[in-house]
């Protein structure tokens, strides 16, 4: 029996960043348990750290209920604006909500070894958080640049871990995982272009007054001419859309580079194209897609174990 236990395969789960797409990690964890696979080690970046932290705290049920019940209004109520904090949102309300869900007080109280990955704002490197206040570490890991303020911890300003290690395979390996299952909530974001959103609108040349001043017989002619020559232009994207897309581009490039040198044994690619990374009120869809993506790789996982 002791020899069998010594030979047991140690499973590591690396949960990647992705903003609201990271709710898909809940579905992945549910599906893993359905096929009888229980990870021994969990490491997470950004939303991967948040969901992973709930899992190792024994609070996944509470987090799932919270996520599925979120509305846009509920999200808005957790926005504590502070433009002097290094971001738009200070994030204290978010941290308090996590504590109320039953997250462990510290890493020492988690059910499994766990690392939350953050990024050092000034040193430009990843930081593995694995001791002390668990929720504080998760809050540092989810510090989306330009939105959530960075966190001062152990003499460093820490921000989102996705800026340095979007899918923490290396952290799982460092904790001794033999087989690593990695989850990428941002799969297919940059597949062949889907095109610019079709929301064109006629350019505003401010000619209404000119048309009104024309003699009545000439107005129909002028309107037809302008309609034939005006070129509709796409509506400019909103500020948060630009910020979300910029972060997606950066983390996608970092992810490709990191995984090329340190690939997992199994990659779970969750197709959430069309879900904005800031749409936290769409948990139902993300969780379902996460479960589907895991089941697609279930036979491979079972063969490896």
């Amino acid at each position: 029996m002791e020899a069998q236990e010594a030979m047991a395969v140690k499973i590591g789960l690396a949960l990647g960043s992705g903003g609201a797409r990271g709710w898909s990690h809940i579905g992945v964890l549910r599906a893993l348990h359905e096929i009888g696979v229980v990870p021994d080690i969990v490491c997470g970046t950004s939303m991967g750290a948040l969901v992973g932290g709930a899992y190792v705290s024994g609070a996944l049920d509470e987090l799932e209920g919270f996520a599925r019940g979120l509305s846009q209004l509920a999200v808005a109520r957790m926005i504590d604006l502070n433009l002097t904090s290094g971001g738009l949102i200070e994030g204290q309300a978010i941290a308090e909500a996590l504590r109320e869900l039953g997250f462990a007080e510290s890493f020492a109280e988690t059910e499994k070894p766990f690392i939350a990955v953050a990024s050092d704002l000034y040193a430009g490197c990843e930081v593995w958080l694995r001791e002390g206040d668990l929720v504080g570490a998760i809050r540092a890991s989810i510090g989306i640049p330009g939105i959530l303020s960075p966190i001062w911890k152990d003499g460093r300003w820490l921000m989102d871990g996705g800026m340095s290690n979007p899918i923490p395979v290396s952290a799982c390996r460092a904790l001794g995982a033999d087989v690593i299952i990695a989850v990428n909530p941002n799969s297919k974001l940059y597949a062949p272009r889907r095109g610019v959103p079709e929301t064109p609108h006629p350019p505003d040349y401010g000619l209404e007054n000119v048309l009104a001043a024309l003699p009545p017989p000439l107005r129909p002619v002028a309107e037809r001419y302008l309609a034939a020559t005006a070129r509709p232009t796409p509506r400019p994207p909103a500020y948060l859309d630009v910020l979300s897309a910029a972060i997606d581009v950066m983390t996608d490039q970092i992810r490709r580079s990191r995984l090329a040198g340190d690939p997992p044994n199994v990659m779970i690619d969750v197709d959430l194209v069309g879900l904005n990374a800031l749409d936290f009120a769409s948990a139902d869809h993300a969780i379902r897609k996460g479960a589907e993506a895991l089941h697609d790789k279930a036979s491979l996982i079972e063969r490896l174990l």
Side-chain angles (χ1 to χ4, degrees):
M1 177 64 71
E2 291 181 0
Q4 289 179 342
E5 290 178 355
M7 295 175 62
V9 174
K10 188 175 289 187
I11 304 167
L13 183 64
L15 303 177
S17 63
R21 302 180 197 114
W23 290 133
S24 61
H25 296 313
I26 297 174
V28 168
L29 284 161
R30 296 300 191 199
L32 274 175
H33 280 247
E34 287 173 8
I35 65 172
V37 175
V38 179
D40 302 290
I41 293 164
V42 180
C43 297
T45 296
S46 197
M47 275 295 284
L50 192 153
V51 176
Y55 177 66
V56 300
S57 297
L60 190 64
D61 288 347
E62 289 79 4
L63 180 65
E64 181 173 358
F66 171 80
R68 290 186 184 275
L70 274 180
S71 63
Q72 295 293 355
L73 179 59
V75 172
R77 285 174 175 165
M78 288 191 291
I79 296 176
D80 45 359
L81 289 175
N82 185 348
L83 301 183
T84 67
S85 66
L88 297 177
I89 303 169
E90 194 163 2
Q92 291 185 1
I94 295 172
E96 184 58 34
L98 298 183
R99 296 186 196 280
E100 291 176 357
L101 290 174
F103 278 61
E105 290 292 326
S106 70
F107 282 82
E109 298 176 14
T110 60
E111 298 174 355
K112 303 173 187 292
F114 176 64
I115 287 177
V117 179
S119 301
D120 188 311
L121 178 62
Y122 291 109
C125 62
E126 66 186 284
V127 178
W128 293 356
L129 302 173
R130 54 182 304 189
E131 60 183 22
D133 179 20
L134 178 66
V135 170
I138 292 169
R139 171 60 187 83
S141 184
I142 65 173
I144 303 171
I147 298 179
L148 280 168
S149 62
I151 294 295
W152 178 256
K153 182 176 175 61
D154 300 329
R156 307 170 184 249
W157 282 108
L158 300 179
M159 65 175 180
D160 198 294
M163 299 298 100
S164 56
N165 192 354
I167 304 179
V169 172
S170 55
C172 283
R173 186 159 283 121
L175 290 183
D178 301 307
V179 172
I180 299 173
I181 302 168
V183 185
N184 174 24
N186 302 310
S187 173
K188 300 183 181 179
L189 284 187
Y190 300 105
R193 277 190 63 81
R194 304 180 301 280
V196 176
E198 295 183 2
T199 55
H201 62 93
D204 181 9
Y205 295 118
L207 297 179
E208 291 86 353
N209 293 333
V210 176
L211 289 172
L214 290 174
L218 294 180
R219 290 175 194 168
V221 177
E223 289 172 349
R224 286 196 298 271
Y225 173 79
L226 291 174
T229 57
R231 297 180 179 179
T233 58
R235 189 177 300 279
Y239 166 76
L240 290 178
D241 290 333
V242 173
L243 186 57
S244 174
I247 292 170
D248 284 342
V249 171
M250 286 189 291
T251 54
D252 185 67
Q253 294 299 317
I254 297 166
R255 175 184 61 82
R256 291 172 186 270
S257 176
R258 293 297 300 259
L259 294 182
D262 196 9
N265 299 92
V266 181
M267 174 61 79
I268 308 299
D269 288 311
V270 186
D271 183 358
L272 286 168
V273 171
L275 177 62
N276 189 290
L278 301 177
D279 186 5
F280 290 97
S282 295
D284 289 353
H285 173 64
I287 292 170
R288 177 174 56 81
K289 297 294 283 187
E292 291 173 359
L294 188 284
H295 282 300
D296 287 344
K297 294 291 181 71
S299 59
L300 172 58
I301 293 171
E302 291 166 346
R303 287 199 302 272
L304 288 173
L305 303 179

